[in-house]
Amino acid sequence: MLLMRSTISSPPTLITSLHRLSPLSKKSLSPSLSFPTSPRPTSLHTSPTMNFLSRLIPGSKPPTQAYPSDPSSSIALKPDEDIPGPGQQFAQFGAGCFWGVELAFQRVPGVSKTEVGYTQGVVHNPSYNDVCEGTTKHSEVVRVQYDPNECSFGNLLDVFWSRHDPTTPNRSGNDVGTQYRSGIYYYTPEQEKEALESMERQQKLLNRKIVTEILPAKMFYRAEEYHQQYLAKGGRLGLRQSAEKGCNDPIRCYG
């Protein structure tokens, strides 16, 4: 994501951060349509820059400044209590920025619904800005609803492994932070078993240790509406990317 030009005087910390943007981020400094244009934060700690940026994201709310000792952690760490549609099952995957990951799963035949959100954290009902502060321990995930008669959990695992590098802790490409960690969050013992076996097979193909966490699915907090199906709706440039089943078009992760 990128910064919009503004007549507001930027604080020194913001100017400094602009000079440190990666080539990809610098490339993104172009006008936006109706989509959020702030860069995906990389800081793991609260900072004046992050608080300033949070005011530039449409539909966002200020960080709650919640910490691991917050009493709401008992709610956030409960199992996901949502119920999938009749004959459907849930699965959750964290593989970096959830925009591109969601589009990949949208294209899978047998997947009936996808949602992006936050999970595995210690704060109840976090906002995007809360998660980006790096104190809530949430992961950006895609919750996939699928028909097991049309799409196996194994098929979803194949998509998961293909979408990211599972050997980089708390990082996916240019996105750095605990919210971008690799994770498979299961709903049944069968999913857990299959995920572990799949990771063993994947490890034999790689020369670095896989850092993917495999944990029970916890409370799923649906992300802000502008994040949902972000790339299929056009992303930052308004250029829609196909979510048609079976589509193999390359995915532009930021639009």
Side-chain angles (χ1 to χ4, degrees), residues 19-61:
H19 289 297
R20 295 178 180 173
L21 287 175
S22 65
L24 175 62
S25 300
K26 291 178 181 178
K27 184 179 179 181
S28 8
L29 296 176
S30 57
S32 167
L33 296 180
S34 58
F35 294 86
T37 55
S38 299
R40 299 186 67 77
T42 58
S43 172
L44 303 185
H45 305 284
T46 303
S47 69
T49 299
M50 187 63 241
N51 291 332
F52 175 77
L53 291 177
S54 69
R55 295 195 292 272
L56 300 180
I57 303 177
S60 63
K61 61 182 180 181

Side-chain angles (χ1 to χ4, degrees), residues 4-251:
M4 294 181 64
R5 293 182 180 177
S6 171
T7 56
I8 301 175
S9 298
S10 301
T13 51
L14 179 57
I15 296 174
T16 301
S17 66
L18 279 173
H19 289 297
R20 295 178 180 173
L21 287 175
S22 65
L24 175 62
S25 300
K26 291 178 181 178
K27 184 179 179 181
S28 8
L29 296 176
S30 57
S32 167
L33 296 180
S34 58
F35 294 86
T37 55
S38 299
R40 299 186 67 77
T42 58
S43 172
L44 303 185
H45 305 284
T46 303
S47 69
T49 299
M50 187 63 241
N51 291 332
F52 175 77
L53 291 177
S54 69
R55 295 195 292 272
L56 300 180
I57 303 177
S60 63
K61 61 182 180 181
T64 63
Q65 297 298 325
Y67 295 91
S69 59
D70 193 294
S72 68
S73 63
S74 60
I75 300 175
L77 293 174
K78 285 183 176 181
D80 185 3
E81 298 176 343
D82 292 341
I83 300 174
Q88 307 286 301
Q89 292 184 11
F90 277 150
Q92 289 183 23
F93 300 97
C97 169
F98 47 29
W99 295 337
V101 181
E102 180 180 32
L103 183 57
F105 283 116
Q106 283 180 275
R107 293 174 171 181
V108 177
V111 169
S112 56
K113 183 179 181 180
T114 60
E115 296 175 282
V116 297
Y118 319 114
T119 192
Q120 301 293 323
V122 295
V123 175
H124 178 55
N125 197 28
S127 70
Y128 175 66
N129 293 321
D130 292 332
V131 173
C132 288
E133 288 290 326
T135 59
T136 72
K137 298 186 178 181
H138 286 88
S139 175
E140 286 194 13
V141 301
V142 179
R143 186 171 69 179
V144 178
Q145 178 178 283
Y146 65 102
D147 182 345
N149 293 318
E150 297 182 27
C151 171
S152 70
F153 184 62
N155 288 345
L156 299 180
L157 289 170
D158 289 341
V159 174
F160 167 76
W161 296 120
S162 71
R163 280 302 308 165
H164 74 306
D165 179 355
T167 69
T168 55
N170 301 325
R171 179 171 191 154
S172 181
N174 288 335
D175 295 319
V176 180
T178 56
Q179 70 268 34
Y180 302 119
R181 64 188 181 271
S182 175
I184 302 169
Y185 308 111
Y186 58 85
Y187 285 79
T188 66
E190 292 76 20
Q191 285 186 348
E192 178 188 18
K193 181 176 181 293
E194 194 164 354
L196 290 169
E197 292 173 348
S198 176
M199 185 167 69
E200 288 181 10
R201 292 192 298 271
Q202 194 70 20
Q203 184 64 77
K204 293 177 181 178
L205 304 175
L206 303 172
N207 56 16
R208 290 185 296 177
K209 182 177 175 57
I210 289 177
V211 296
T212 301
E213 59 184 18
I214 299 178
L215 300 169
K218 298 291 196 255
M219 286 283 281
F220 174 81
Y221 296 99
R222 193 173 190 273
E224 293 81 350
E225 189 58 38
Y226 65 81
H227 285 302
Q228 305 299 326
Q229 292 83 52
Y230 182 79
L231 298 183
K233 291 187 295 189
R236 68 182 182 215
L237 299 178
L239 301 175
R240 295 175 182 271
Q241 297 186 56
S242 175
E244 291 296 318
K245 299 302 183 185
C247 178
N248 291 317
D249 292 348
I251 293 176

